[in-house]
Amino acid sequence: MTRSDRTVARVLVVCMCLAGIPIPAAQAEMIATDRIETNAPSSARERLNSLFDRADVRRALESHGVDAADAKARVAALSDGEVAQLAEKFDSLPAGGDGIGSVLGVALIVFLVLLITDILGFTKVFPFTRPAK
């Protein structure tokens, strides 16, 4: 075996060993309404103002050159309809990225680039391809 084959084999062995690790199942149960604590702001204006209290939002605003106090003042100057529209837009935005989807997307792009360069004859990564002449 070549050195790269051994490295790939070792990585695959580690991945196979990690695939068998048991993951605890999620536990779910019904809860009564009186046990639910709602700390969510009641109005759209309060929800938008609570965003500016978060440290990550403050950092993002400062990176764009906007002070959080100025942003709060601008939200206070908006009409109720504009605040409701802005809050609805915030609610419709995705909450976060899909990490596994991103990794799979990058892996697919790398695979396609290597496959195309293999077919064009620039590299020899995959044994099932023949270079175009």
Side-chain angles (χ1 to χ4, degrees), residues 103-125:
V103 170
L104 289 177
V106 169
L108 180 67
I109 290 172
V110 168
F111 172 75
L112 290 175
V113 167
L114 289 174
L115 183 66
I116 291 170
T117 56
D118 232 6
I119 291 172
L120 294 175
F122 297 126
T123 61
K124 185 63 180 149
V125 178

Side-chain angles (χ1 to χ4, degrees), residues 3-19:
R3 183 179 174 102
S4 62
D5 289 342
R6 286 184 183 180
T7 304
V8 170
R10 287 178 182 148
V11 169
L12 288 175
V13 166
V14 169
C15 289
M16 293 300 291
C17 289
L18 292 177

Side-chain angles (χ1 to χ4, degrees), residues 16 18 23 34 37-38 40 49 54-55 67 79 103 111 113 117 121:
M16 293 300 291
L18 292 177
I23 299 173
D34 58 346
E37 294 182 23
T38 57
N49 282 330
R54 293 178 27 189
D67 186 35
S79 69
V103 170
F111 172 75
V113 167
T117 56

Side-chain angles (χ1 to χ4, degrees), residues 45-118:
R45 192 174 304 272
E46 288 177 10
R47 278 190 296 158
L48 290 177
N49 282 330
S50 69
L51 284 174
F52 300 119
D53 294 334
R54 293 178 27 189
D56 59 335
V57 174
R58 267 196 230 115
R59 278 193 304 263
L61 286 172
E62 289 171 0
S63 70
H64 291 291
V66 178
D67 186 35
D70 292 341
K72 278 187 175 183
R74 290 178 187 176
V75 169
L78 294 175
S79 69
D80 290 339
E82 292 170 332
V83 170
Q85 184 181 13
L86 187 59
E88 182 179 319
K89 186 180 283 188
F90 269 110
D91 291 340
S92 68
L93 292 174
D98 182 15
I100 293 181
S102 301
V103 170
L104 289 177
V106 169
L108 180 67
I109 290 172
V110 168
F111 172 75
L112 290 175
V113 167
L114 289 174
L115 183 66
I116 291 170
T117 56
D118 232 6

